[in-house]
Amino acid sequence: MNNHSMIWWALLFTMSCIICYQDITRRTISNQMCIVVLIICIFLVIKSGNYSSLYYSLIIFIGGFILFIKKIIAAGDVKLISSFFIAINQNYQLLTFTIILFAGGVISIVLLIHKVINKENTTITVPYGVPICIGCLFGVAASL
């Protein structure tokens, strides 16, 4: 990883921290944040010259849109993961999905335990932007 790539990745990390904070506190991922992630990832793709990931990002977006219509996943999560996946080499995409699913499972279990301990009678919503950012940052770093 050269200095320019590290700077872009650090910027992506910073944006991811902001996205995680907003998703935890507000349970939303703003369009502006997704656009910033998209722009950073496009710069990383141009720098690396690996344009094959664009097709996979489009497939993820279409699949995510279908899941959004069926109310399985939130629209912000779909836009965020599609933006990140532009910069993730296809060799690391399955690993990235695995990290996202594992991190999301851990967060879900922690939230469920918290709900049971505090005897809350509310619906649990998982801030899935957090595992998406964690997994995708690993995927982007591996792709650089």
Side-chain angles (χ1 to χ4, degrees), residues 2-64:
N2 62 33
N3 286 339
H4 289 104
S5 295
M6 244 169 118
I7 291 169
W8 284 111
W9 191 87
L11 184 58
L12 198 57
F13 176 81
T14 303
M15 294 307 301
S16 295
C17 289
I18 295 168
I19 290 167
C20 289
Y21 175 77
Q22 289 179 344
D23 198 23
I24 290 168
T25 58
R26 299 182 202 155
R27 292 296 197 266
T28 60
I29 299 171
S30 73
N31 290 335
Q32 293 83 1
M33 291 299 190
C34 291
I35 290 170
V36 172
V37 168
L38 177 66
I39 291 168
I40 294 169
C41 289
I42 287 172
F43 278 113
L44 288 170
V45 165
I46 291 170
K47 183 144 182 55
S48 72
N50 181 22
Y51 299 104
S52 64
S53 59
L54 296 173
Y55 302 114
Y56 296 102
S57 183
L58 182 62
I59 291 169
I60 291 168
F61 183 78
I62 292 169

Side-chain angles (χ1 to χ4, degrees), residues 117-136:
I117 289 173
N118 293 320
K119 298 177 182 165
E120 296 175 358
N121 193 17
T122 58
T123 304
I124 296 175
T125 57
V126 178
Y128 231 86
V130 176
I132 289 170
C133 287
I134 292 169
C136 289

Side-chain angles (χ1 to χ4, degrees), residues 79-99:
K79 291 179 274 189
L80 182 62
I81 199 167
S82 298
S83 298
F84 267 117
F85 262 72
I86 287 174
I88 299 173
N89 185 303
Q90 64 191 31
N91 296 329
Y92 302 111
Q93 289 182 350
L94 182 58
L95 175 63
T96 301
F97 267 122
T98 303
I99 293 169

